[in-house]
Amino acid sequence: MSNRDDLLAGAKKCLLEKGYSRTTARDIAQASGVSLAAIGYHFGSKDALMNEAMFQAIGEWGDHLEQAFAKAGPELSVQERFSRVFDDVSATFDQNQSLWMASFELIIELDHIPGAREMFRNAIPEARRGLANLILGIPEDEIPPDLELGAGAVLYSLMAGLLIQRFADTERTPTGADLARGLRQLADVLEARDKAAAAS
């Protein structure tokens, strides 16, 4: 591996072991076996390196989820895909809790870490398309903007909320089936209220 790759690997290791804000440039240099000066040379700053490490780590989590899901085969219905994806999200949270805690920590500090807000702004549409692809079966490059900002945004919001609930109250975390039922309940209420408003 190159020094750049070693630095990213070291940063990801520190991210999971120490969190985002508690990791120092010296920690990364020690974990990667690369000099402190190399951080500035390859990334410009420790923050830029940590942002890239976070982006890669979350991307690797998403790739792992996709690969595990692909093994299930294409025969699943959309409802089955929905339930399975959100059950898998809960399961992988338990396995990657350090990563998600570091991610929450970074979100809280978005305006205090150079480049962090821009990184998330660029990553969120990709995450919306990825979830729409997993659940609806539409290739990411064929997902139109209105679907990304509609169904994709709802799916992303559900995922973020599910992760928070999983961390706060593991025993009562909703399952994928619970979330699917909840969406149907909301749709039924909205439809009934629309009909009532139209009839009045």
Side-chain angles (χ1 to χ4, degrees):
M1 287 199 304
S2 67
N3 282 351
R4 190 178 195 281
D5 291 336
D6 288 338
L7 285 167
L8 279 167
K12 281 186 272 190
K13 183 174 186 292
C14 292
L15 193 65
L16 299 180
E17 291 179 354
K18 304 192 70 170
Y20 194 100
S21 61
R22 291 182 300 280
T23 295
T24 66
R26 192 171 298 281
D27 291 331
I28 298 170
Q30 184 173 4
S32 62
V34 180
S35 70
L36 276 171
I39 294 174
Y41 176 77
H42 288 286
F43 294 93
S45 68
K46 183 208 80 166
D47 288 331
L49 168 55
M50 289 293 286
N51 291 345
E52 178 65 20
M54 174 69 79
F55 185 80
Q56 280 197 11
I58 292 176
E60 288 164 4
W61 170 81
D63 291 343
H64 174 75
L65 192 64
E66 279 189 45
Q67 290 164 8
F69 197 73
K71 294 176 183 176
E75 68 279 357
L76 296 179
S77 68
V78 170
Q79 181 171 326
E80 289 169 330
R81 293 169 74 89
F82 179 97
S83 296
R84 172 145 183 183
V85 164
F86 284 100
D87 286 341
D88 285 353
V89 165
S90 284
T92 59
F93 176 82
D94 297 340
Q95 298 157 13
N96 299 274
Q97 191 171 132
S98 297
L99 171 63
W100 292 112
M101 294 309 299
S103 177
F104 296 155
E105 182 185 351
L106 178 57
I107 290 169
I108 292 169
E109 298 294 328
L110 274 186
D111 289 327
H112 304 288
I113 299 171
R117 182 174 290 278
E118 182 180 2
M119 180 193 73
F120 267 90
R121 188 163 44 235
N122 293 334
I124 286 174
E126 183 178 334
R128 291 170 179 161
R129 288 191 295 271
L131 284 167
N133 164 251
L134 276 178
I135 292 171
L136 303 179
I138 303 171
E140 291 187 41
D141 58 358
E142 295 179 15
I143 294 172
D146 66 320
L147 185 61
E148 179 231 305
L149 200 54
V154 169
L155 294 171
Y156 183 82
S157 299
L158 285 172
M159 183 189 75
L162 180 64
L163 292 173
I164 292 170
Q165 291 178 76
R166 186 71 178 177
F167 175 68
D169 189 356
T170 304
E171 296 301 317
R172 293 189 297 171
T173 303
T175 64
D178 292 331
L179 293 176
R181 185 175 64 256
L183 284 177
R184 287 193 296 270
Q185 290 169 342
L186 283 172
D188 289 345
V189 169
L190 290 172
E191 183 179 4
R193 291 190 176 179
D194 285 345
K195 287 180 178 178
S200 62

